[in-house]
């Protein structure tokens, strides 16, 4: 067995980011930038008013009565082109260009009409209520580095910066193969000795949420021929994930077919609980990650190994991010395998493991808000001690 970190490194070293291409911004959501997002223009491109009010020369506000003549109007999209005359004010709207000669905007709440005059109640303050050109960004600025996944705010930024096409990584295509005669697909009738193929659906959702395309290849039944057919269907994919079938029993053909057909193993089990039977290798140029058949084992290992792998294909470096929490209960010392306990963070911010730690108990995994990490040969801890946790996101 090898440590989890070593297994992760071997997987990542075997993968390369997908090729790049250029997409219109309308199709770039969720993709990962393969080149930095650069500003093609300055924003705002001119000094603009931040408020509705009156554009003036700040020096003119030093007069005793602050009376001004109204020279004209600068509206959004329709600026006032003549220079501002001394002793005059120009009505201005939010976002409208600052007229030449003006250096302050007095908000409309501080203005009143007195016959043909405009009285402004404000102190001289050059630059007040003005958004200067480039306050957001200048042409040529790097706005977002490569390796960031495109989100809705980024699309707005790109379009505002004059970039309607983005260079992104091709969306990785991840194959999923379930194994076993005991499985039936959702919606099909189950026999007395069968269960519903649920784990592949959870993995598919996890892969899709990570910005990749899941490609479900079906169930490899407990025959060498069925396993070979599923592997043949995986040709051309960026990564194949298998679920179960990695044991050495008479009906487990996955690893036998992999070896017989020229597959090369990078590792065949890891020092992990749950998840010891996890394996990884390459078959006919296609990377293959073998996950355990137990549902919780598969979905825990997916967080530790699969998500970093698909991030690598997307041109990203995203190892699991751990944090610390105070433990609410005693935890015994750990053995020779890195262990992940399904845990919950209590109302007082302390964490404790759930009662049900069986690797088949999906309901316990759903109730968990974090995984409590117990390193290899970790010492026992008492209530009040700090433990490492891997938060499980979207547990509202």
């Amino acid at each position: 067995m090898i440590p989890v970190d070593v297994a992760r490194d071997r997987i990542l070293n075997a993968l390369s980011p997908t090729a790049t291409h250029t997409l219109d911004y309308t199709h770039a959501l969720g993709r990962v930038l393969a080149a930095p997002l650069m500003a093609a223009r300055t924003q705002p491109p001119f000094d603009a008013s931040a408020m509705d009010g009156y554009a003036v020369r700040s020096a003119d506000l030093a007069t005793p009565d602050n009376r001004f003549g109204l020279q004209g109007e600068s509206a959004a999209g329709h600026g006032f082109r003549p220079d501002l005359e001394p002793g005059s004010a120009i009505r201005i709207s939010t976002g409208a260009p600052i007229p030449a000669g003006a250096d302050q905007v007095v908000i409309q709440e501080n203005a009143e009409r007195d016959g043909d005059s405009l009285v402004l109640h404000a102190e001289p303050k050059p630059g007040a209520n003005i958004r200067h050109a480039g306050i957001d960004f200048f042409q040529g600025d790097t706005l977002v580095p490569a390796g960031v996944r495109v989100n809705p705010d980024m699309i707005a930024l790109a379009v505002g910066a004059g970039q309607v096409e983005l260079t992104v990584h091709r969306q990785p295509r991840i194959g999923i193969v379930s194994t076993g005669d005991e499985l039936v697909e959702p919606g099909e009738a189950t026999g007395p000795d069968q269960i519903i193929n649920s784990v592949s659906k959870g993995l598919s959702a996890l892969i899709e949420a990570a910005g990749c395309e899941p490609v479900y290849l079906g169930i490899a039944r407990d025959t060498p021929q069925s396993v070979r057919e599923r592997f043949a269907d995986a040709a051309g994919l960026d990564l194949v994930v298998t679920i179960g079938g990695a044991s050495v029993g008479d009906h487990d053909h996955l690893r036998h077919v992999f070896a017989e057909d020229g597959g090369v193993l990078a590792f065949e089990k890891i020092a992990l609980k749950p998840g010891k039977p996890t394996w990884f290798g390459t078959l006919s140029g296609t990377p293959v990650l073998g996950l355990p058949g137990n549902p919780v084992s598969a979905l825990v290992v997916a967080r530790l190994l699969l998500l970093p792998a698909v991030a690598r294909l997307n041109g990203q470096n995203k190892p699991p991010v751990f944090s610390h929490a105070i433990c609410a209960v005693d935890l015994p010392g750990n053995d020779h395998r890195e262990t992940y306990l399904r845990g919950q963070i209590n109302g007082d911010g302390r964490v404790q493991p759930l009662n049900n730690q069986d690797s088949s108990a999906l309901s316990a995994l759903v109730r968990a808000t974090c995984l409590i990490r117990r390193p290899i040969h970790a010492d026992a801890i008492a209530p009040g001690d700090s433990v490492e946790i891997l938060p499980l996101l979207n547990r509202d």
Side-chain angles (χ1 to χ4, degrees), residues 222-302:
D222 290 334
T223 68
Q225 179 61 27
S226 182
V227 172
R228 284 193 169 90
E229 289 172 355
R230 299 291 78 74
F231 276 139
D233 293 339
L237 297 178
D238 297 296
L239 175 66
V240 175
V241 180
T242 63
I243 308 166
S247 299
V248 293
D250 294 339
H251 303 288
D252 294 315
H253 301 285
L254 187 65
R255 288 275 298 280
H256 296 299
V257 171
F258 178 86
E260 289 172 2
D261 291 359
V264 178
L265 279 175
F267 61 83
E268 56 183 332
K269 53 187 173 180
I270 54 180
L272 175 64
K273 181 180 181 181
K276 175 183 173 182
T278 302
W279 59 280
F280 178 76
T282 304
L283 178 63
S284 301
T286 301
V288 181
L289 174 61
L291 300 182
N294 280 323
V296 173
S297 301
L299 291 169
V300 167
V301 175

Side-chain angles (χ1 to χ4, degrees), residues 27 32 81 111 188 192 235 303:
H27 298 100
V32 175
R81 289 296 175 258
E188 295 180 354
R303 266 81 173 187

Side-chain angles (χ1 to χ4, degrees), residues 10-367:
R10 291 188 186 180
I11 294 172
L12 298 182
N13 289 337
L15 301 175
S16 298
T18 58
T20 66
H21 58 171
T22 301
L23 288 181
D24 184 89
Y25 72 92
T26 58
H27 298 100
L29 183 64
R31 300 298 183 88
V32 175
L33 290 178
L37 172 61
M38 309 291 291
R41 54 175 287 151
T42 296
Q43 181 66 20
F46 46 78
D47 288 355
S49 179
M51 304 288 286
D52 291 339
Y54 296 89
V56 298
R57 297 174 184 268
S58 58
D60 291 343
L61 290 171
T63 59
D65 57 4
N66 281 0
R67 289 181 178 270
F68 294 80
L70 187 59
Q71 185 178 346
E73 181 180 6
S74 180
H78 304 280
F80 186 84
R81 289 296 175 258
D83 288 0
L84 174 64
E85 298 173 356
S88 296
I90 293 174
R91 175 71 172 150
I92 195 165
S93 305
T94 301
I98 300 295
D103 64 349
Q104 181 172 347
V105 172
V106 178
I107 62 174
Q108 63 185 15
E109 291 84 352
N110 292 340
E112 61 177 307
R113 295 300 297 267
D114 183 10
D116 294 332
S117 298
L118 182 70
V119 179
L120 301 179
H121 304 285
E123 297 294 326
K125 190 175 181 181
N129 300 313
I130 293 176
R131 295 188 181 116
H132 293 288
I135 193 174
D136 196 353
F137 50 80
F138 289 96
Q139 182 179 2
D141 283 353
T142 298
L143 302 179
V144 183
V148 178
R149 190 173 172 189
V150 178
N151 59 40
D153 297 334
M154 200 184 304
I155 289 176
L157 176 62
V159 173
Q163 299 286 16
V164 295
E165 292 185 331
L166 300 175
T167 301
V168 297
H169 286 281
R170 176 182 58 76
Q171 187 178 34
R173 302 178 71 232
I174 314 299
I176 302 173
V177 178
S178 299
T179 64
D181 284 348
E182 74 276 14
L183 298 177
V184 300
E185 298 291 13
E188 295 180 354
T190 55
D193 303 317
Q194 293 182 306
I195 59 174
I196 299 172
N197 179 20
S198 61
V199 181
S200 65
K201 314 312 173 191
L203 284 176
S204 179
L206 198 67
I207 289 168
E208 187 172 7
C212 300
E213 178 188 353
V215 181
Y216 180 57
L217 301 174
I219 300 171
R221 299 300 178 182
D222 290 334
T223 68
Q225 179 61 27
S226 182
V227 172
R228 284 193 169 90
E229 289 172 355
R230 299 291 78 74
F231 276 139
D233 293 339
L237 297 178
D238 297 296
L239 175 66
V240 175
V241 180
T242 63
I243 308 166
S247 299
V248 293
D250 294 339
H251 303 288
D252 294 315
H253 301 285
L254 187 65
R255 288 275 298 280
H256 296 299
V257 171
F258 178 86
E260 289 172 2
D261 291 359
V264 178
L265 279 175
F267 61 83
E268 56 183 332
K269 53 187 173 180
I270 54 180
L272 175 64
K273 181 180 181 181
K276 175 183 173 182
T278 302
W279 59 280
F280 178 76
T282 304
L283 178 63
S284 301
T286 301
V288 181
L289 174 61
L291 300 182
N294 280 323
V296 173
S297 301
L299 291 169
V300 167
V301 175
R303 266 81 173 187
L304 301 175
L305 300 181
L306 176 58
L307 289 185
V310 299
R312 169 71 168 159
L313 292 170
N314 252 329
Q316 297 176 300
N317 178 27
K318 295 182 71 174
V321 178
F322 296 92
S323 58
H324 287 84
I326 300 301
C327 195
V329 297
D330 289 303
L331 290 180
N334 196 30
D335 60 15
H336 61 285
R337 287 193 289 168
E338 187 171 316
T339 300
Y340 287 83
L341 305 170
R342 277 69 74 200
Q344 283 185 334
I345 298 177
N346 300 330
D348 61 0
R350 298 191 171 210
V351 66
Q352 69 181 59
L354 296 171
N355 290 331
N356 190 348
Q357 294 293 323
D358 192 277
S359 59
S360 68
L362 274 175
S363 60
L365 180 61
V366 170
R367 290 197 302 274

